Every structure is written in C-alpha cells, then in structure tokens.
Amino acid sequence: MLETSPKIEEVGIYNAKKAKEWKVQPSKTSKNCHNYIRSIVDTLNLEPNPEKNVIALSLGDPTIYGNLNPSKETTEAVQKALEATSYNGYGPCVGFESARKAVANYLSYDGVEFNPRDIILCSGCSSSLDLCISAVACSSRNDNILMPKPGFPIYRTLAESMGIGVKTYNLLPEKGWEIDLLHLESQIDQNTAVIILNNPSNPCGSVYDEDHLRAFLSIARRYQIPVIADEVYERIVFPHKKFVSTAALESGVPILICGGLAKRFLVPGWRIGWIAVHDPIDALSDIRTALLALSQKIIGCNTLIQGAIPSVLLETPQSFYEDIINFLLENAKMTYDALKKIPGLVPYMPDGALYMMVKVDLEKFPEFETGLQFITGLMEEESVFCLPGDCFQLPGFMRIVITVPTDLMIEACNRISDFCNKYYT
C-alpha cells in the first residue's frame, strides 16, 4: 500500500506542537560581540532635564549639528558619479582600480609611495579594522592583540567577537597621552599577533611626534610584531603639530594602515574606508592574500562613492581642510580655557582629532561614587551628555567632542560649570 503525504492540517498541528520544543542557538561570535559604549551608556538610564535642550558632547559624528559639511567639490563629485550611471552595479571586491589609484596617490607623501595593489577599499574604517584583525589573528592559535588604553572600543569588539584575546597598553595623560613604552613591552607575549596604534587618537586627541613613533616601532620590530595603524583622523592636526604616518618612518615594520573619508572629509555615513599595505620587508605576502579573500565577504563597498573618490581626493581645496582645523582649534581652546576654571575638572588640551579628555576628581564630588553617576547627574540636571571614560577603559574621565557649534559649546561649558560648582566640596 502506497504511503500518502500527511494532510496540510496535520502538518500544521505537528509544527505547532514542535514549536515549543525548538531552541535555535545563537552563534558564539554573536555572544562574544559587545558594543562597549552602548553596554555602558544603555545602563545609565539617562533622562535629560525637560526644561533644557540636550547638548550632546558624546557623538563622534562631526555632521550631527549641521555646522560642519563636506566641501562643494565633494558633493559635486558624487552628483557627477550618479549622473554618469557607471557606478550602479557591483564593483571588484577590493574596489575599482581608479578609486584605489586615487587613494594610493592621496597617501603617497613624505617619501612614501603606494600603488593601487597596496589598497583595499572597505565599508568604512571599522570594516578596514575588521578585515585587518581577521587577517592577522585567530582564536585557534590563542592569539591576542594589543590595543591602547584608553582606546576606541571597536578594536576590542572586533577581536573578542572572533574569540581573539585583547590586552592593553597604557597611555600617559601627564605626557600628552604618549604611549607608556615600558608597559607596552611588558604586555607582549608569544601569542601577541599585532599591535594597534591609533594616531591621531580617539578618545585623547593626541598626536605623536616622529621620535615617539620611532620608539614605538622599534619595539614592534624587536619582537617582530606587525602593526595595524588606525589613521582615520590623519591630518586633522593643529598647527603646532604635524601628522606623521607610520609608513613614512622606514622602520622595517610591516604595517596595515586603516583610514577613510569619514572624518577629514566629513562624510561618515558614506561608509568608505581603506587598508593601505605598507610592507618594506615583504613580510605580508600571505596577509595580502588573506585580505583579498576576506574582502569577498562584503563584495565591495559603495560603488557610487568609489566613482567620486578620484575627484574628492584631488579637487577638495586646501582651504576646506584649513577651515575645519581652524574651527576645531578655536573650539578646543575655548573649551579648554572654560573647563580648566571649573573646580574638580582637569581638561587635557588636544593636538588634533575631534575630542578632548577631561579628568573628574571624584574626591571633590562626594555626591557621586563613580564617574558614571557623575555623567548621569550632569545629564539629568543640565541635559549635557558626555561619554564616560569607562567606555574607553579609563574610569574617572569623560570624553567630549569639539565639533559642536561654538554657541552650544559655550552653553555646555556654562552648564557643566553650574553643575560642578553645585556639588564641589
């Protein structure tokens, strides 16, 4: 006798019964993936003062208030790429040759020469970092990465999601957030796969000079550990400093440089980043192959913006960059001068990037046991939101952005002053 298929009604009853037994398990990668800023901020239960508008000094997005916008040449380049209709389809996983050539030319200065083969385009600088960490480290070897403390938590998020260990090396606030080189060296072990350098720094706003970078790279060379250099804030540097790329120092250290359009060109939402492979000793041939393979996971980045990159990088006038630097410097000076007059706070004047770190002397504010409580109180009473240093593994500090319109920055400093004077003892 031939077997007959179950009736649809019977299948429905069966599935309904079985549904209660289902338990689809999340992956280990997802369980290990933590956004450390969100995990801290979301637990603060922040409620602003309803009588005061919120001033967010927390967001690393320079476009948020509308006072900083991309250049006319940048937007026109995208319009031309759109009208050309040549960039609506898929592109190569590593990016169009024309776009990679433009990035190579843009990064070729101070004696450094890149070619298109050295460039891989990614979906934002965070994607560049993801590919680099994935290419050089793996959990099966019990690898770890070394990252700065304080440091941007995305490094930790990316590594730990893949089961890769994370160790930190200290930055020294009293020395302009220089690297504690002795501590860095003490953290290296046989499983250290790569050292991450962030210059200019988020969250510190520090910019390292050539001598300090050479000292850092000499350690990497001594232990034969490659470097991932997060240089997404490259050339956002105040006039008394100079940006020096690690690639320009002829250190003999293989370096994966991560950058993108987001910060200097004021277009973080366009999601264009890059990896530039600097390999003076030909140590990264297998890593190049790995990066090419990993680039196939995203099947290329935004092709429309790729079409615009040559014009963006070539035609943006120097005056555009200078105007941004001048605005950031004046805002930083004003903010620093205002905050250093406030009892219980110690601001650290940045040398570049978009941020300023401020130490909170909690002993002078006994109302608050932790920096998180201090940040919460500031939001609840004054509607000013700063990121707590805990987000960057440095409790007792807070990070503020200096991209906010000047009038709002002045208002925020006044409110912070009122709050601190109220609780300072």
Side-chain angles (χ1 to χ4, degrees), residues 35-86:
N35 183 319
Y36 287 94
I37 291 180
R38 294 292 355 145
S39 64
I40 291 173
V41 171
D42 288 350
T43 61
L44 294 181
N45 192 26
L46 296 170
E47 292 291 340
N49 184 336
E51 298 181 0
K52 297 183 178 183
N53 62 301
V54 173
I55 303 177
L57 303 182
S58 56
L59 300 173
D61 181 347
T63 72
I64 196 71
Y65 280 101
N67 58 312
L68 295 175
N69 294 293
S71 70
K72 175 175 64 70
E73 291 78 9
T74 294
T75 54
E76 287 178 350
V78 176
Q79 290 170 348
K80 290 178 183 177
L82 177 62
E83 292 167 357
T85 70
S86 304

Side-chain angles (χ1 to χ4, degrees), residues 275-308:
I275 301 167
V277 181
H278 178 68
D279 188 18
I281 58 174
D282 196 28
L284 298 178
S285 57
D286 289 341
I287 297 301
R288 286 180 186 268
T289 301
L291 289 171
L292 293 176
L294 289 167
S295 72
Q296 297 171 14
K297 292 201 306 180
I298 61 171
I299 318 179
C301 60
N302 190 316
T303 54
L304 176 63
I305 307 303
Q306 286 189 59

Side-chain angles (χ1 to χ4, degrees), residues 107-315:
L107 296 177
S108 295
Y109 62 94
D110 284 350
V112 180
E113 289 189 12
F114 288 100
N115 62 61
R117 177 178 170 271
D118 299 321
I119 307 299
I120 295 174
L121 298 182
C122 306
S123 183
C125 189
S126 58
S127 173
S128 305
L129 292 163
D130 187 11
L131 265 61
C132 287
I133 294 173
S134 300
V136 301
C138 67
S139 59
S140 62
R141 297 190 303 237
N142 295 318
D143 286 347
N144 65 66
I145 67 168
L146 265 180
M147 63 170 280
K149 176 185 177 181
F152 192 53
I154 190 68
Y155 315 131
R156 185 179 171 194
T157 297
L158 294 171
E160 289 183 345
S161 70
M162 294 181 277
I164 297 165
V166 177
K167 301 180 73 175
T168 60
Y169 60 87
N170 292 335
L171 306 184
L172 302 171
E174 68 276 11
K175 292 187 176 182
W177 301 103
E178 282 189 352
I179 299 166
D180 184 338
L181 297 173
L182 291 176
H183 185 249
L184 166 68
E185 192 164 4
S186 74
Q187 293 295 89
I188 295 172
D189 62 32
Q190 69 273 15
N191 298 117
T192 302
V194 71
I195 305 173
I196 295 179
L197 174 77
N198 181 205
N199 180 51
S201 166
N202 174 14
C204 302
S206 55
V207 178
Y208 298 143
D209 62 26
E210 182 175 326
D211 289 342
H212 191 60
L213 288 171
R214 287 189 184 280
F216 163 81
L217 290 168
S218 70
I219 295 174
R221 183 175 63 250
R222 189 181 315 138
Y223 290 91
Q224 296 186 337
I225 300 174
V227 169
I228 295 175
D230 180 355
E231 297 182 357
V232 73
Y233 296 95
E234 49 96 20
R235 290 183 261 189
I236 306 180
V237 173
F238 298 155
H240 64 283
K241 284 281 190 173
K242 178 187 176 184
F243 171 70
V244 179
S245 174
T246 49
L249 299 179
E250 299 181 356
S251 63
V253 175
I255 303 168
L256 300 174
I257 297 174
C258 296
L261 295 182
K263 308 301 183 178
R264 194 179 188 215
F265 295 88
L266 304 178
V267 288
W270 289 9
R271 309 311 298 146
I272 288 288
W274 54 68
I275 301 167
V277 181
H278 178 68
D279 188 18
I281 58 174
D282 196 28
L284 298 178
S285 57
D286 289 341
I287 297 301
R288 286 180 186 268
T289 301
L291 289 171
L292 293 176
L294 289 167
S295 72
Q296 297 171 14
K297 292 201 306 180
I298 61 171
I299 318 179
C301 60
N302 190 316
T303 54
L304 176 63
I305 307 303
Q306 286 189 59
I309 281 181
S311 295
V312 170
L313 297 181
L314 185 63
E315 297 175 10

Side-chain angles (χ1 to χ4, degrees), residues 24 39 416:
V24 181
S39 64
I416 294 172

Side-chain angles (χ1 to χ4, degrees), residues 3 11 17 96 103 128 143 166 220 239 273 330 343 404 417 421 425:
E3 293 185 6
V11 172
K17 291 179 178 178
F96 288 120
V103 171
S128 305
D143 286 347
V166 177
E330 291 306 310
V404 177
S417 178
N421 282 316
T425 59

